[in-house]
PDB file of all heavy atoms in Angstrom:
ATOM      1  N   LEU A1312      28.125   3.527 -25.898  1.00  0.00           N
ATOM      2  CA  LEU A1312      27.798   4.656 -25.053  1.00  0.00           C
ATOM      3  C   LEU A1312      28.972   4.926 -24.102  1.00  0.00           C
ATOM      4  O   LEU A1312      29.370   6.064 -23.883  1.00  0.00           O
ATOM      5  CB  LEU A1312      26.571   4.389 -24.232  1.00  0.00           C
ATOM      6  CG  LEU A1312      25.142   4.589 -24.876  1.00  0.00           C
ATOM      7  CD1 LEU A1312      24.064   4.177 -23.910  1.00  0.00           C
ATOM      8  CD2 LEU A1312      24.957   6.055 -25.242  1.00  0.00           C
ATOM      9  N   ALA A1315      31.640   6.687 -26.031  1.00  0.00           N
ATOM     10  CA  ALA A1315      31.315   8.090 -26.343  1.00  0.00           C
ATOM     11  C   ALA A1315      31.378   8.946 -25.033  1.00  0.00           C
ATOM     12  O   ALA A1315      31.904  10.142 -25.039  1.00  0.00           O
ATOM     13  CB  ALA A1315      29.915   8.116 -26.883  1.00  0.00           C
ATOM     14  N   TYR A1316      31.050   8.339 -23.897  1.00  0.00           N
ATOM     15  CA  TYR A1316      31.141   9.042 -22.624  1.00  0.00           C
ATOM     16  C   TYR A1316      32.619   9.316 -22.337  1.00  0.00           C
ATOM     17  O   TYR A1316      33.014  10.322 -21.822  1.00  0.00           O
ATOM     18  CB  TYR A1316      30.495   8.151 -21.564  1.00  0.00           C
ATOM     19  CG  TYR A1316      29.999   8.859 -20.327  1.00  0.00           C
ATOM     20  CD1 TYR A1316      29.110   8.202 -19.400  1.00  0.00           C
ATOM     21  CD2 TYR A1316      30.297  10.220 -20.028  1.00  0.00           C
ATOM     22  CE1 TYR A1316      28.584   8.868 -18.347  1.00  0.00           C
ATOM     23  CE2 TYR A1316      29.794  10.879 -18.969  1.00  0.00           C
ATOM     24  CZ  TYR A1316      28.911  10.184 -18.096  1.00  0.00           C
ATOM     25  OH  TYR A1316      28.473  10.802 -16.936  1.00  0.00           O
ATOM     26  N   ILE A1384      18.606  21.166 -19.678  1.00  0.00           N
ATOM     27  CA  ILE A1384      18.639  20.270 -20.832  1.00  0.00           C
ATOM     28  C   ILE A1384      17.674  19.121 -20.722  1.00  0.00           C
ATOM     29  O   ILE A1384      17.210  18.608 -21.719  1.00  0.00           O
ATOM     30  CB  ILE A1384      20.084  19.604 -21.024  1.00  0.00           C
ATOM     31  CG1 ILE A1384      20.240  19.191 -22.496  1.00  0.00           C
ATOM     32  CG2 ILE A1384      20.317  18.528 -20.096  1.00  0.00           C
ATOM     33  CD1 ILE A1384      20.403  20.327 -23.549  1.00  0.00           C
ATOM     34  N   ALA A1388      15.339  17.499 -23.782  1.00  0.00           N
ATOM     35  CA  ALA A1388      15.658  16.043 -24.206  1.00  0.00           C
ATOM     36  C   ALA A1388      14.374  15.257 -24.241  1.00  0.00           C
ATOM     37  O   ALA A1388      14.133  14.368 -25.037  1.00  0.00           O
ATOM     38  CB  ALA A1388      16.670  15.517 -23.254  1.00  0.00           C
ATOM     39  N   ILE A1391      12.542  16.319 -27.639  1.00  0.00           N
ATOM     40  CA  ILE A1391      13.088  15.982 -28.999  1.00  0.00           C
ATOM     41  C   ILE A1391      13.980  14.777 -28.969  1.00  0.00           C
ATOM     42  O   ILE A1391      14.514  14.378 -30.044  1.00  0.00           O
ATOM     43  CB  ILE A1391      13.805  17.201 -29.581  1.00  0.00           C
ATOM     44  CG1 ILE A1391      15.090  17.520 -28.805  1.00  0.00           C
ATOM     45  CG2 ILE A1391      12.924  18.428 -29.696  1.00  0.00           C
ATOM     46  CD1 ILE A1391      15.939  18.675 -29.403  1.00  0.00           C
ATOM     47  N   GLY A1392      14.228  14.233 -27.844  1.00  0.00           N
ATOM     48  CA  GLY A1392      15.125  13.065 -27.704  1.00  0.00           C
ATOM     49  C   GLY A1392      16.535  13.324 -27.414  1.00  0.00           C
ATOM     50  O   GLY A1392      17.074  14.448 -27.837  1.00  0.00           O
ATOM     51  N   THR A1393      17.252  12.440 -26.841  1.00  0.00           N
ATOM     52  CA  THR A1393      18.645  12.690 -26.499  1.00  0.00           C
ATOM     53  C   THR A1393      19.574  12.653 -27.708  1.00  0.00           C
ATOM     54  O   THR A1393      20.623  13.306 -27.737  1.00  0.00           O
ATOM     55  CB  THR A1393      19.151  11.695 -25.452  1.00  0.00           C
ATOM     56  OG1 THR A1393      19.022  10.367 -25.879  1.00  0.00           O
ATOM     57  CG2 THR A1393      18.311  11.776 -24.160  1.00  0.00           C
ATOM     58  N   LYS A1394      19.239  11.798 -28.701  1.00  0.00           N
ATOM     59  CA  LYS A1394      20.184  11.563 -29.848  1.00  0.00           C
ATOM     60  C   LYS A1394      20.501  12.832 -30.576  1.00  0.00           C
ATOM     61  O   LYS A1394      21.609  13.169 -30.813  1.00  0.00           O
ATOM     62  CB  LYS A1394      19.643  10.555 -30.757  1.00  0.00           C
ATOM     63  CG  LYS A1394      20.549  10.168 -31.910  1.00  0.00           C
ATOM     64  CD  LYS A1394      20.035   9.017 -32.716  1.00  0.00           C
ATOM     65  CE  LYS A1394      20.929   8.579 -33.833  1.00  0.00           C
ATOM     66  NZ  LYS A1394      20.563   7.394 -34.551  1.00  0.00           N
ATOM     67  N   LYS A1395      19.412  13.631 -30.913  1.00  0.00           N
ATOM     68  CA  LYS A1395      19.672  14.894 -31.695  1.00  0.00           C
ATOM     69  C   LYS A1395      20.508  15.846 -30.896  1.00  0.00           C
ATOM     70  O   LYS A1395      21.418  16.536 -31.469  1.00  0.00           O
ATOM     71  CB  LYS A1395      18.309  15.475 -32.041  1.00  0.00           C
ATOM     72  CG  LYS A1395      17.544  14.631 -33.026  1.00  0.00           C
ATOM     73  CD  LYS A1395      16.166  15.293 -33.363  1.00  0.00           C
ATOM     74  CE  LYS A1395      15.361  14.486 -34.327  1.00  0.00           C
ATOM     75  NZ  LYS A1395      14.051  15.082 -34.584  1.00  0.00           N
ATOM     76  N   ILE A1396      20.178  15.953 -29.583  1.00  0.00           N
ATOM     77  CA  ILE A1396      20.954  16.921 -28.794  1.00  0.00           C
ATOM     78  C   ILE A1396      22.379  16.469 -28.642  1.00  0.00           C
ATOM     79  O   ILE A1396      23.282  17.345 -28.671  1.00  0.00           O
ATOM     80  CB  ILE A1396      20.257  16.995 -27.342  1.00  0.00           C
ATOM     81  CG1 ILE A1396      18.855  17.533 -27.496  1.00  0.00           C
ATOM     82  CG2 ILE A1396      21.039  17.987 -26.458  1.00  0.00           C
ATOM     83  CD1 ILE A1396      18.118  17.520 -26.181  1.00  0.00           C
ATOM     84  N   PHE A1397      22.576  15.225 -28.442  1.00  0.00           N
ATOM     85  CA  PHE A1397      23.923  14.648 -28.314  1.00  0.00           C
ATOM     86  C   PHE A1397      24.752  15.116 -29.562  1.00  0.00           C
ATOM     87  O   PHE A1397      25.889  15.608 -29.447  1.00  0.00           O
ATOM     88  CB  PHE A1397      23.912  13.135 -28.291  1.00  0.00           C
ATOM     89  CG  PHE A1397      24.064  12.584 -26.923  1.00  0.00           C
ATOM     90  CD1 PHE A1397      23.311  11.470 -26.535  1.00  0.00           C
ATOM     91  CD2 PHE A1397      24.992  13.084 -26.015  1.00  0.00           C
ATOM     92  CE1 PHE A1397      23.396  10.919 -25.310  1.00  0.00           C
ATOM     93  CE2 PHE A1397      25.181  12.514 -24.766  1.00  0.00           C
ATOM     94  CZ  PHE A1397      24.466  11.463 -24.380  1.00  0.00           C
ATOM     95  N   VAL A1398      24.218  14.822 -30.784  1.00  0.00           N
ATOM     96  CA  VAL A1398      24.948  15.094 -31.999  1.00  0.00           C
ATOM     97  C   VAL A1398      25.267  16.567 -32.134  1.00  0.00           C
ATOM     98  O   VAL A1398      26.389  16.955 -32.440  1.00  0.00           O
ATOM     99  CB  VAL A1398      24.170  14.619 -33.261  1.00  0.00           C
ATOM    100  CG1 VAL A1398      24.898  15.057 -34.513  1.00  0.00           C
ATOM    101  CG2 VAL A1398      24.120  13.097 -33.165  1.00  0.00           C
ATOM    102  N   VAL A1399      24.283  17.458 -31.829  1.00  0.00           N
ATOM    103  CA  VAL A1399      24.540  18.912 -31.913  1.00  0.00           C
ATOM    104  C   VAL A1399      25.598  19.315 -30.902  1.00  0.00           C
ATOM    105  O   VAL A1399      26.552  20.073 -31.325  1.00  0.00           O
ATOM    106  CB  VAL A1399      23.192  19.649 -31.721  1.00  0.00           C
ATOM    107  CG1 VAL A1399      23.494  21.140 -31.605  1.00  0.00           C
ATOM    108  CG2 VAL A1399      22.259  19.389 -32.848  1.00  0.00           C
ATOM    109  N   LEU A1400      25.475  18.904 -29.698  1.00  0.00           N
ATOM    110  CA  LEU A1400      26.380  19.425 -28.645  1.00  0.00           C
ATOM    111  C   LEU A1400      27.807  18.892 -28.873  1.00  0.00           C
ATOM    112  O   LEU A1400      28.723  19.651 -28.701  1.00  0.00           O
ATOM    113  CB  LEU A1400      25.814  19.049 -27.234  1.00  0.00           C
ATOM    114  CG  LEU A1400      24.573  19.754 -26.810  1.00  0.00           C
ATOM    115  CD1 LEU A1400      24.203  19.312 -25.418  1.00  0.00           C
ATOM    116  CD2 LEU A1400      24.585  21.262 -26.892  1.00  0.00           C
ATOM    117  N   PHE A1401      27.918  17.630 -29.209  1.00  0.00           N
ATOM    118  CA  PHE A1401      29.280  17.078 -29.443  1.00  0.00           C
ATOM    119  C   PHE A1401      29.905  17.743 -30.673  1.00  0.00           C
ATOM    120  O   PHE A1401      31.105  17.983 -30.690  1.00  0.00           O
ATOM    121  CB  PHE A1401      29.253  15.586 -29.507  1.00  0.00           C
ATOM    122  CG  PHE A1401      29.340  14.867 -28.164  1.00  0.00           C
ATOM    123  CD1 PHE A1401      28.398  15.002 -27.195  1.00  0.00           C
ATOM    124  CD2 PHE A1401      30.461  14.172 -27.955  1.00  0.00           C
ATOM    125  CE1 PHE A1401      28.519  14.347 -26.058  1.00  0.00           C
ATOM    126  CE2 PHE A1401      30.683  13.529 -26.670  1.00  0.00           C
ATOM    127  CZ  PHE A1401      29.597  13.598 -25.729  1.00  0.00           C
ATOM    128  N   SER A1402      29.120  18.086 -31.640  1.00  0.00           N
ATOM    129  CA  SER A1402      29.679  18.790 -32.825  1.00  0.00           C
ATOM    130  C   SER A1402      30.181  20.111 -32.466  1.00  0.00           C
ATOM    131  O   SER A1402      31.264  20.603 -32.926  1.00  0.00           O
ATOM    132  CB  SER A1402      28.591  18.874 -33.964  1.00  0.00           C
ATOM    133  OG  SER A1402      28.246  17.527 -34.341  1.00  0.00           O
ATOM    134  N   LEU A1403      29.372  20.837 -31.626  1.00  0.00           N
ATOM    135  CA  LEU A1403      29.777  22.191 -31.162  1.00  0.00           C
ATOM    136  C   LEU A1403      31.081  22.061 -30.288  1.00  0.00           C
ATOM    137  O   LEU A1403      31.948  22.947 -30.329  1.00  0.00           O
ATOM    138  CB  LEU A1403      28.660  22.754 -30.382  1.00  0.00           C
ATOM    139  CG  LEU A1403      27.468  23.305 -31.182  1.00  0.00           C
ATOM    140  CD1 LEU A1403      26.382  23.805 -30.168  1.00  0.00           C
ATOM    141  CD2 LEU A1403      27.938  24.475 -32.102  1.00  0.00           C
ATOM    142  N   GLN A1404      31.160  20.928 -29.581  1.00  0.00           N
ATOM    143  CA  GLN A1404      32.354  20.790 -28.680  1.00  0.00           C
ATOM    144  C   GLN A1404      33.579  20.594 -29.537  1.00  0.00           C
ATOM    145  O   GLN A1404      34.694  21.032 -29.148  1.00  0.00           O
ATOM    146  CB  GLN A1404      32.111  19.645 -27.767  1.00  0.00           C
ATOM    147  CG  GLN A1404      33.057  19.470 -26.581  1.00  0.00           C
ATOM    148  CD  GLN A1404      32.689  20.482 -25.532  1.00  0.00           C
ATOM    149  OE1 GLN A1404      32.319  21.666 -25.744  1.00  0.00           O
ATOM    150  NE2 GLN A1404      32.714  20.033 -24.261  1.00  0.00           N
ATOM    151  N   ASN A1431      28.394  22.264 -23.119  1.00  0.00           N
ATOM    152  CA  ASN A1431      28.369  20.995 -23.803  1.00  0.00           C
ATOM    153  C   ASN A1431      28.740  19.832 -22.804  1.00  0.00           C
ATOM    154  O   ASN A1431      28.166  18.808 -22.875  1.00  0.00           O
ATOM    155  CB  ASN A1431      29.197  21.044 -25.017  1.00  0.00           C
ATOM    156  CG  ASN A1431      28.840  22.040 -26.029  1.00  0.00           C
ATOM    157  OD1 ASN A1431      27.693  22.394 -26.169  1.00  0.00           O
ATOM    158  ND2 ASN A1431      29.754  22.586 -26.718  1.00  0.00           N
ATOM    159  N   ALA A1434      26.101  19.035 -20.115  1.00  0.00           N
ATOM    160  CA  ALA A1434      24.816  18.357 -20.617  1.00  0.00           C
ATOM    161  C   ALA A1434      25.010  16.815 -20.606  1.00  0.00           C
ATOM    162  O   ALA A1434      23.983  16.134 -20.459  1.00  0.00           O
ATOM    163  CB  ALA A1434      24.584  18.856 -22.047  1.00  0.00           C
ATOM    164  N   MET A1435      26.216  16.372 -20.676  1.00  0.00           N
ATOM    165  CA  MET A1435      26.419  14.882 -20.725  1.00  0.00           C
ATOM    166  C   MET A1435      25.815  14.250 -19.474  1.00  0.00           C
ATOM    167  O   MET A1435      25.419  13.096 -19.526  1.00  0.00           O
ATOM    168  CB  MET A1435      27.930  14.560 -20.842  1.00  0.00           C
ATOM    169  CG  MET A1435      28.626  14.981 -22.037  1.00  0.00           C
ATOM    170  SD  MET A1435      30.277  14.200 -22.227  1.00  0.00           S
ATOM    171  CE  MET A1435      30.956  14.507 -20.636  1.00  0.00           C
ATOM    172  N   PHE A1436      25.931  14.917 -18.303  1.00  0.00           N
ATOM    173  CA  PHE A1436      25.572  14.295 -17.119  1.00  0.00           C
ATOM    174  C   PHE A1436      24.043  14.217 -16.891  1.00  0.00           C
ATOM    175  O   PHE A1436      23.645  13.577 -15.931  1.00  0.00           O
ATOM    176  CB  PHE A1436      26.227  15.065 -15.952  1.00  0.00           C
ATOM    177  CG  PHE A1436      27.761  15.044 -16.032  1.00  0.00           C
ATOM    178  CD1 PHE A1436      28.415  16.073 -16.679  1.00  0.00           C
ATOM    179  CD2 PHE A1436      28.422  13.936 -15.546  1.00  0.00           C
ATOM    180  CE1 PHE A1436      29.850  15.988 -16.722  1.00  0.00           C
ATOM    181  CE2 PHE A1436      29.854  13.874 -15.669  1.00  0.00           C
ATOM    182  CZ  PHE A1436      30.533  14.876 -16.283  1.00  0.00           C
ATOM    183  N   THR A1437      23.336  14.894 -17.790  1.00  0.00           N
ATOM    184  CA  THR A1437      21.849  14.619 -17.855  1.00  0.00           C
ATOM    185  C   THR A1437      21.542  13.654 -19.054  1.00  0.00           C
ATOM    186  O   THR A1437      20.690  12.800 -18.864  1.00  0.00           O
ATOM    187  CB  THR A1437      21.172  15.937 -18.080  1.00  0.00           C
ATOM    188  OG1 THR A1437      21.380  16.793 -16.900  1.00  0.00           O
ATOM    189  CG2 THR A1437      19.619  15.740 -18.201  1.00  0.00           C
ATOM    190  N   LEU A1438      22.220  13.797 -20.139  1.00  0.00           N
ATOM    191  CA  LEU A1438      21.831  13.047 -21.296  1.00  0.00           C
ATOM    192  C   LEU A1438      22.265  11.580 -21.257  1.00  0.00           C
ATOM    193  O   LEU A1438      21.532  10.672 -21.634  1.00  0.00           O
ATOM    194  CB  LEU A1438      22.521  13.662 -22.547  1.00  0.00           C
ATOM    195  CG  LEU A1438      22.120  15.099 -22.849  1.00  0.00           C
ATOM    196  CD1 LEU A1438      22.889  15.617 -24.039  1.00  0.00           C
ATOM    197  CD2 LEU A1438      20.626  15.055 -23.247  1.00  0.00           C
ATOM    198  N   PHE A1439      23.456  11.289 -20.650  1.00  0.00           N
ATOM    199  CA  PHE A1439      23.837   9.882 -20.586  1.00  0.00           C
ATOM    200  C   PHE A1439      22.972   9.085 -19.628  1.00  0.00           C
ATOM    201  O   PHE A1439      22.571   7.948 -20.022  1.00  0.00           O
ATOM    202  CB  PHE A1439      25.343   9.792 -20.258  1.00  0.00           C
ATOM    203  CG  PHE A1439      26.233   9.889 -21.475  1.00  0.00           C
ATOM    204  CD1 PHE A1439      27.072  10.939 -21.608  1.00  0.00           C
ATOM    205  CD2 PHE A1439      26.369   8.782 -22.350  1.00  0.00           C
ATOM    206  CE1 PHE A1439      27.842  11.067 -22.687  1.00  0.00           C
ATOM    207  CE2 PHE A1439      27.154   8.904 -23.390  1.00  0.00           C
ATOM    208  CZ  PHE A1439      27.895  10.080 -23.646  1.00  0.00           C
ATOM    209  N   PRO A1440      22.676   9.537 -18.417  1.00  0.00           N
ATOM    210  CA  PRO A1440      21.776   8.749 -17.606  1.00  0.00           C
ATOM    211  C   PRO A1440      20.348   8.585 -18.249  1.00  0.00           C
ATOM    212  O   PRO A1440      19.692   7.561 -18.135  1.00  0.00           O
ATOM    213  CB  PRO A1440      21.718   9.482 -16.260  1.00  0.00           C
ATOM    214  CG  PRO A1440      22.230  10.819 -16.531  1.00  0.00           C
ATOM    215  CD  PRO A1440      23.266  10.611 -17.647  1.00  0.00           C
ATOM    216  N   ALA A1441      19.922   9.729 -18.908  1.00  0.00           N
ATOM    217  CA  ALA A1441      18.596   9.598 -19.615  1.00  0.00           C
ATOM    218  C   ALA A1441      18.602   8.545 -20.729  1.00  0.00           C
ATOM    219  O   ALA A1441      17.571   7.846 -20.884  1.00  0.00           O
ATOM    220  CB  ALA A1441      18.191  11.032 -20.139  1.00  0.00           C
ATOM    221  N   THR A1442      19.681   8.494 -21.449  1.00  0.00           N
ATOM    222  CA  THR A1442      19.722   7.592 -22.578  1.00  0.00           C
ATOM    223  C   THR A1442      19.878   6.110 -21.927  1.00  0.00           C
ATOM    224  O   THR A1442      19.221   5.228 -22.567  1.00  0.00           O
ATOM    225  CB  THR A1442      20.971   7.839 -23.456  1.00  0.00           C
ATOM    226  OG1 THR A1442      20.899   9.160 -23.893  1.00  0.00           O
ATOM    227  CG2 THR A1442      21.101   6.871 -24.581  1.00  0.00           C
ATOM    228  N   THR A1443      20.638   5.960 -20.951  1.00  0.00           N
ATOM    229  CA  THR A1443      20.654   4.590 -20.330  1.00  0.00           C
ATOM    230  C   THR A1443      19.308   4.196 -19.778  1.00  0.00           C
ATOM    231  O   THR A1443      18.880   2.999 -19.986  1.00  0.00           O
ATOM    232  CB  THR A1443      21.638   4.654 -19.118  1.00  0.00           C
ATOM    233  OG1 THR A1443      22.934   5.220 -19.534  1.00  0.00           O
ATOM    234  CG2 THR A1443      21.879   3.291 -18.528  1.00  0.00           C
ATOM    235  N   GLN A1445      16.421   5.198 -21.057  1.00  0.00           N
ATOM    236  CA  GLN A1445      15.582   5.002 -22.159  1.00  0.00           C
ATOM    237  C   GLN A1445      15.870   3.583 -22.834  1.00  0.00           C
ATOM    238  O   GLN A1445      14.978   2.833 -23.244  1.00  0.00           O
ATOM    239  CB  GLN A1445      15.864   6.088 -23.212  1.00  0.00           C
ATOM    240  CG  GLN A1445      15.168   5.855 -24.605  1.00  0.00           C
ATOM    241  CD  GLN A1445      15.689   6.861 -25.549  1.00  0.00           C
ATOM    242  OE1 GLN A1445      16.091   7.915 -25.268  1.00  0.00           O
ATOM    243  NE2 GLN A1445      15.582   6.523 -26.832  1.00  0.00           N
ATOM    244  N   TYR A1446      17.166   3.200 -22.954  1.00  0.00           N
ATOM    245  CA  TYR A1446      17.574   2.016 -23.514  1.00  0.00           C
ATOM    246  C   TYR A1446      17.252   0.747 -22.646  1.00  0.00           C
ATOM    247  O   TYR A1446      16.829  -0.233 -23.253  1.00  0.00           O
ATOM    248  CB  TYR A1446      19.014   1.980 -23.865  1.00  0.00           C
ATOM    249  CG  TYR A1446      19.483   2.766 -25.076  1.00  0.00           C
ATOM    250  CD1 TYR A1446      18.558   3.634 -25.789  1.00  0.00           C
ATOM    251  CD2 TYR A1446      20.798   2.722 -25.522  1.00  0.00           C
ATOM    252  CE1 TYR A1446      18.921   4.270 -26.879  1.00  0.00           C
ATOM    253  CE2 TYR A1446      21.172   3.433 -26.693  1.00  0.00           C
ATOM    254  CZ  TYR A1446      20.279   4.210 -27.307  1.00  0.00           C
ATOM    255  OH  TYR A1446      20.648   4.954 -28.457  1.00  0.00           O
ATOM    256  N   LEU A1459      28.474   2.744 -16.281  1.00  0.00           N
ATOM    257  CA  LEU A1459      28.730   3.613 -17.360  1.00  0.00           C
ATOM    258  C   LEU A1459      29.636   4.857 -16.909  1.00  0.00           C
ATOM    259  O   LEU A1459      30.452   5.287 -17.636  1.00  0.00           O
ATOM    260  CB  LEU A1459      27.440   4.162 -17.956  1.00  0.00           C
ATOM    261  CG  LEU A1459      27.531   4.909 -19.261  1.00  0.00           C
ATOM    262  CD1 LEU A1459      27.956   4.130 -20.438  1.00  0.00           C
ATOM    263  CD2 LEU A1459      26.187   5.702 -19.509  1.00  0.00           C
ATOM    264  N   LEU A1495      36.380  13.827 -29.786  1.00  0.00           N
ATOM    265  CA  LEU A1495      35.038  14.346 -29.763  1.00  0.00           C
ATOM    266  C   LEU A1495      34.381  13.942 -31.080  1.00  0.00           C
ATOM    267  O   LEU A1495      33.184  13.643 -31.190  1.00  0.00           O
ATOM    268  CB  LEU A1495      34.983  15.790 -29.447  1.00  0.00           C
ATOM    269  CG  LEU A1495      35.226  16.128 -28.023  1.00  0.00           C
ATOM    270  CD1 LEU A1495      35.511  17.573 -27.851  1.00  0.00           C
ATOM    271  CD2 LEU A1495      33.923  15.753 -27.225  1.00  0.00           C
ATOM    272  N   ALA A1498      33.167  10.528 -31.009  1.00  0.00           N
ATOM    273  CA  ALA A1498      31.916  10.418 -30.298  1.00  0.00           C
ATOM    274  C   ALA A1498      30.782  10.888 -31.172  1.00  0.00           C
ATOM    275  O   ALA A1498      29.693  10.273 -31.055  1.00  0.00           O
ATOM    276  CB  ALA A1498      32.014  11.259 -29.052  1.00  0.00           C
ATOM    277  N   VAL A1499      30.893  11.923 -31.894  1.00  0.00           N
ATOM    278  CA  VAL A1499      29.843  12.365 -32.775  1.00  0.00           C
ATOM    279  C   VAL A1499      29.417  11.190 -33.750  1.00  0.00           C
ATOM    280  O   VAL A1499      28.180  10.978 -33.928  1.00  0.00           O
ATOM    281  CB  VAL A1499      30.306  13.584 -33.699  1.00  0.00           C
ATOM    282  CG1 VAL A1499      29.265  13.910 -34.800  1.00  0.00           C
ATOM    283  CG2 VAL A1499      30.575  14.740 -32.712  1.00  0.00           C
ATOM    284  N   ILE A1501      29.771   7.982 -33.287  1.00  0.00           N
ATOM    285  CA  ILE A1501      29.127   6.894 -32.550  1.00  0.00           C
ATOM    286  C   ILE A1501      27.640   7.291 -32.136  1.00  0.00           C
ATOM    287  O   ILE A1501      26.762   6.490 -32.422  1.00  0.00           O
ATOM    288  CB  ILE A1501      29.909   6.687 -31.181  1.00  0.00           C
ATOM    289  CG1 ILE A1501      31.247   6.069 -31.484  1.00  0.00           C
ATOM    290  CG2 ILE A1501      29.127   5.707 -30.304  1.00  0.00           C
ATOM    291  CD1 ILE A1501      32.133   5.948 -30.276  1.00  0.00           C
ATOM    292  N   LEU A1502      27.417   8.514 -31.646  1.00  0.00           N
ATOM    293  CA  LEU A1502      26.139   8.894 -31.233  1.00  0.00           C
ATOM    294  C   LEU A1502      25.180   9.079 -32.367  1.00  0.00           C
ATOM    295  O   LEU A1502      23.977   8.888 -32.188  1.00  0.00           O
ATOM    296  CB  LEU A1502      26.246  10.225 -30.350  1.00  0.00           C
ATOM    297  CG  LEU A1502      27.081   9.997 -29.028  1.00  0.00           C
ATOM    298  CD1 LEU A1502      27.404  11.304 -28.440  1.00  0.00           C
ATOM    299  CD2 LEU A1502      26.262   9.157 -28.146  1.00  0.00           C
ATOM    300  N   ALA A1503      25.701   9.560 -33.548  1.00  0.00           N
ATOM    301  CA  ALA A1503      24.908   9.755 -34.683  1.00  0.00           C
ATOM    302  C   ALA A1503      24.382   8.416 -35.314  1.00  0.00           C
ATOM    303  O   ALA A1503      23.262   8.422 -35.861  1.00  0.00           O
ATOM    304  CB  ALA A1503      25.553  10.552 -35.720  1.00  0.00           C
ATOM    305  N   LEU A1505      24.237   5.428 -33.397  1.00  0.00           N
ATOM    306  CA  LEU A1505      23.838   4.459 -32.419  1.00  0.00           C
ATOM    307  C   LEU A1505      22.271   4.263 -32.454  1.00  0.00           C
ATOM    308  O   LEU A1505      21.549   5.231 -32.601  1.00  0.00           O
ATOM    309  CB  LEU A1505      24.273   4.954 -31.053  1.00  0.00           C
ATOM    310  CG  LEU A1505      24.130   3.990 -29.898  1.00  0.00           C
ATOM    311  CD1 LEU A1505      25.016   2.774 -30.104  1.00  0.00           C
ATOM    312  CD2 LEU A1505      24.454   4.662 -28.596  1.00  0.00           C
TER     313      LEU A1505
END
Side-chain angles (χ1 to χ4, degrees):
L1312 279 175
Y1316 208 164
I1384 203 70
I1391 67 174
T1393 60
K1394 183 172 182 176
K1395 293 179 181 178
I1396 300 177
F1397 260 139
V1398 173
V1399 170
L1400 292 185
F1401 271 67
S1402 298
L1403 286 174
Q1404 197 77 318
N1431 299 331
M1435 295 193 311
F1436 299 94
T1437 298
L1438 296 175
F1439 274 108
T1442 303
T1443 308
Q1445 173 190 334
Y1446 280 9
L1459 189 68
L1495 285 164
V1499 171
I1501 292 173
L1502 295 168
L1505 190 62

